[in-house]
Amino acid sequence: QVQLVESGGGLVQPGGSLRLSCVASGNMFSIYRMGWYRQAPGKQRDMVATIARGGSTNYADSVKGRFTISRDNAKNTMYLQMNSLKPEDTAVYYCNGAAWGQNEYWGQGTQVTVSS
């Protein structure tokens, strides 16, 4: 079992920055990939960025050059640094963990609102 808890969301002006955190607990040995997903009202949940156990990363085209995914294994924490935020980045952001055996785990979500 794996538990994921996100934090760091809030209201920010266009062009501003936020850093999201995801603290993981439980059987992290089973996790081979973690990532951030987001869902705006009326839209599907889309991948934002992922990071594999070996450290390789993948980003959605819409956030490349603006967002950075990272992790601190000693703290069991994953981060999403978001810079140059745009109104279209407004969404609920979810932490995700993919485990061996086709199991997936999700956090509760944290709201990010980009507005002037």
Side-chain angles (χ1 to χ4, degrees):
Q1 295 291 334
V2 174
Q3 296 80 45
L4 305 172
V5 179
E6 306 98 328
S7 63
L11 175 64
V12 65
Q13 293 184 336
S17 298
L18 284 174
R19 188 178 77 159
L20 306 183
S21 299
C22 173
V23 179
S25 61
N27 184 20
M28 294 303 298
F29 297 105
S30 67
I31 302 296
Y32 67 88
R33 187 186 70 234
M34 296 189 70
W36 292 96
Y37 292 70
R38 67 186 182 187
Q39 186 169 26
K43 296 186 177 180
Q44 66 182 31
R45 186 175 299 186
D46 292 327
M47 185 273 290
V48 176
T50 62
I51 184 166
R53 181 177 292 273
S56 62
T57 58
N58 187 39
Y59 296 91
D61 288 341
S62 59
V63 307
K64 286 181 179 178
R66 300 188 298 121
F67 291 10
T68 303
I69 189 171
S70 63
R71 68 182 182 218
D72 185 337
N73 289 334
K75 297 181 178 180
N76 287 327
T77 302
M78 179 179 65
Y79 304 96
L80 184 68
Q81 179 66 47
M82 304 185 292
N83 299 325
S84 301
L85 283 162
K86 305 175 180 179
E88 50 263 46
D89 295 318
T90 295
V92 177
Y93 284 69
Y94 296 90
C95 180
N96 167 266
W100 302 111
Q102 302 298 320
N103 292 325
E104 284 196 318
Y105 303 91
W106 295 94
Q108 82 287 351
T110 185
Q111 177 71 49
V112 172
T113 302
V114 184
S115 176
S116 59

